[in-house]
């Protein structure tokens, strides 16, 4: 679409730590304090009434509350973790929509585990909205095929909250990484969503070298019966046989 966002309040926008390894190439890391990406108010991001579209992307975070992407005014189209501006389901992925005077939500799985996750939101031309997290559907809602106008859009914060002076709130900014956020024309089909999910790194890749092998087994064994991350793959609070089983299933990937 030829749109350029502006990195705002990043300590060093050119630092490798700002652009860590992502699911595909590099991701963008947000500190959860004050940085965000400001998007221009231009028509290519607008979703007209009766227009079928999808959103998808990868993210990882340990933040229990924070916006991933927000489009506002008029209407709201947003995906976030936990807090949505009115209530919170801490650590859970959430879709938020506001059209025709009604607020709608779909709440997905818990995602504040520091692992990479994939999300997809699809909206049919008739207004049926469905949320997928890691390829699993978490429900539908109906936005009556309303229009979403691109104004006050951002990654990592909600610009309305900035104007409202809520900058000290812990849910104001996301602490985490975002990669490959895409807005698609038309509905992503189940096989397309699964193909995107398949690009997530295997859970058994504990050292992040892109493969599951003896080096990862050494990481796991070195943290055996502790709660150390990343060896506690399933985030149960204990590195045990369940984590070994996950690593074994991913062996050689």
């Amino acid at each position: 679409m030829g749109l350029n966002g502006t990195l705002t309040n990043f300590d060093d926008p050119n630092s490798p730590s700002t652009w860590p390894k992502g699911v595909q190439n590099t991701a963008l890391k947000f500190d959860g304090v004050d940085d965000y990406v400001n998007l221009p108010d231009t028509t290519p991001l607008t979703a007209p009434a009766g227009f079928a579209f999808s959103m998808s992307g990868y993210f990882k975070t340990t933040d229990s509350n924070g916006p991933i992407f927000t489009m506002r005014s008029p209407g709201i189209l947003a995906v976030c973790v936990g807090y949505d501006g009115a209530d919170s389901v801490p650590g859970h992925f959430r879709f938020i929509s506001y059209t025709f005077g009604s607020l709608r939500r779909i709440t997905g799985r818990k995602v504040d585990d520091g692992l990479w996750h994939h999300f997809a939101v699809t909206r049919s031309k008739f207004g049926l909205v469905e949320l997928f997290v890691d390829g699993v559907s978490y429900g539908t809602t109906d936005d009556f095929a309303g229009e979403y106008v691109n104004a006050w859009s951002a990654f990592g914060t909600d610009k309305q909250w900035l104007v409202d002076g809520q900058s000290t709130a812990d849910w104001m900014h996301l602490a985490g990484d975002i990669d490959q956020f895409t807005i698609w024309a038309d509905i992503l089909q189940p096989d397309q969503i699964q193909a995107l999910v398949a690009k997530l790194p295997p859970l058994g890749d504990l050292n992040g070298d892109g493969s599951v092998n003896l080096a990862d087994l050494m990481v796991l064994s070195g943290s055996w019966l502790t709660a150390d991350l990343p060896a506690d793959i399933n985030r149960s609070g204990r590195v045990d046989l369940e984590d070994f089983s996950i690593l074994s299933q991913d062996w050689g990937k």
Side-chain angles (χ1 to χ4, degrees):
M1 291 184 295
L3 299 181
N4 295 310
T6 302
L7 275 64
T8 305
N9 297 329
F10 285 81
D11 292 337
D12 184 357
N14 298 313
S15 168
S17 62
T18 302
W19 300 97
K21 180 181 178 181
V23 175
Q24 298 178 285
N25 300 315
T26 57
L28 180 60
K29 182 178 289 293
F30 297 80
D31 64 8
V33 178
D34 61 358
D35 55 23
Y36 64 98
V37 176
N38 187 26
L39 297 174
D41 297 345
T42 53
T43 54
L45 276 180
T46 295
F51 182 74
F53 68 92
S54 302
M55 300 189 301
S56 72
Y58 303 95
F59 67 95
K60 68 174 180 178
T61 184
T62 57
D63 200 343
S64 59
N65 292 288
I68 294 175
F69 168 77
T70 303
M71 178 189 292
R72 273 191 181 261
S73 187
I76 302 172
L77 181 67
V79 287
C80 62
V81 178
Y83 186 70
D84 65 15
D87 66 18
S88 178
V89 185
H92 288 254
F93 188 88
R94 310 189 77 191
F95 165 79
I96 312 298
S97 164
Y98 184 86
T99 59
F100 300 112
S102 296
L103 182 66
R104 304 166 189 85
R105 304 178 175 93
I106 307 175
T107 298
R109 61 163 292 183
K110 206 168 188 297
V111 293
D112 59 344
D113 51 16
L115 300 174
W116 280 107
H117 295 279
H118 177 266
F119 81 89
V121 175
T122 63
R123 203 282 293 273
S124 76
K125 65 180 181 179
F126 303 108
L128 180 66
V129 180
E130 187 167 8
L131 169 66
F132 299 84
V133 183
D134 296 337
V136 176
S137 174
Y138 282 87
T140 62
T141 188
D142 192 337
D143 69 359
F144 300 100
E147 180 182 36
Y148 298 101
V149 176
N150 173 44
W152 288 21
S153 301
F155 293 111
T157 194
D158 185 320
K159 289 164 69 175
Q160 178 69 60
W161 299 348
L162 292 174
V163 172
D164 290 346
Q166 303 177 58
S167 59
T168 60
D170 62 0
W171 36 258
M172 179 73 176
H173 294 275
L174 176 77
D177 299 4
I178 299 175
D179 187 19
Q180 294 294 312
F181 183 93
T182 307
I183 296 181
W184 310 79
D186 217 335
I187 298 174
L188 284 172
Q189 298 303 309
D191 61 327
Q192 295 174 306
I193 293 173
Q194 293 303 323
L196 293 169
V197 172
K199 295 180 181 180
L200 288 169
L203 294 176
D205 181 16
L206 303 183
N207 63 356
D209 67 355
S211 61
V212 182
N213 50 33
L214 185 59
D216 301 296
L217 180 59
M218 295 298 292
V219 173
L220 190 145
S221 61
S223 299
W224 193 253
L225 300 184
T226 72
D228 291 350
L229 298 177
D232 182 15
I233 300 173
N234 63 358
R235 275 35 179 189
S236 67
R238 180 182 174 92
V239 180
D240 53 22
L241 287 174
E242 292 184 3
D243 302 295
F244 178 77
S245 177
I246 295 171
L247 189 145
S248 298
Q249 292 170 19
D250 286 345
W251 193 262
K253 289 184 178 179

